[in-house]
Amino acid sequence: MTRNVRNIQSLIYLNYANSKLIVCQCIFLKITVHFLSSVIQQVNTDFNLYSILLNVASCLLNSAYL
């Protein structure tokens, strides 16, 4: 009987530890998604800026050839 009680206690502890691990994984995933989202936003902003600069340079070159 004592062995069964210990087994049940071990299962309860493992279940508790597993649930804590899942919570930690969810928090880590949320942080990772937020970080990647901000990186993608920054790259998109940089790309838009480079695109605008490229268009300005193209207009200047076109007006220089005219």
Side-chain angles (χ1 to χ4, degrees):
M1 185 68 180
T2 309
R3 195 164 131 190
N4 285 341
V5 169
R6 272 186 281 172
N7 284 344
I8 291 171
Q9 286 174 336
S10 295
L11 286 175
I12 290 171
Y13 175 76
L14 285 175
N15 191 23
Y16 173 77
N18 194 25
S19 67
K20 289 294 181 187
L21 181 64
I22 289 171
V23 168
C24 289
Q25 287 174 334
C26 287
I27 292 170
F28 179 73
L29 183 63
K30 185 176 179 182
I31 291 170
T32 304
V33 167
H34 179 74
F35 174 74
L36 288 177
S37 173
S38 65
V39 167
I40 289 170
Q41 227 172 12
Q42 184 62 44
V43 167
N44 193 24
T45 303
D46 290 345
F47 180 75
N48 287 338
L49 181 63
Y50 293 143
S51 178
I52 291 168
L53 289 175
L54 210 62
N55 284 335
V56 168
S58 176
C59 288
L60 289 174
L61 283 174
N62 284 338
S63 65
Y65 283 122
L66 293 176

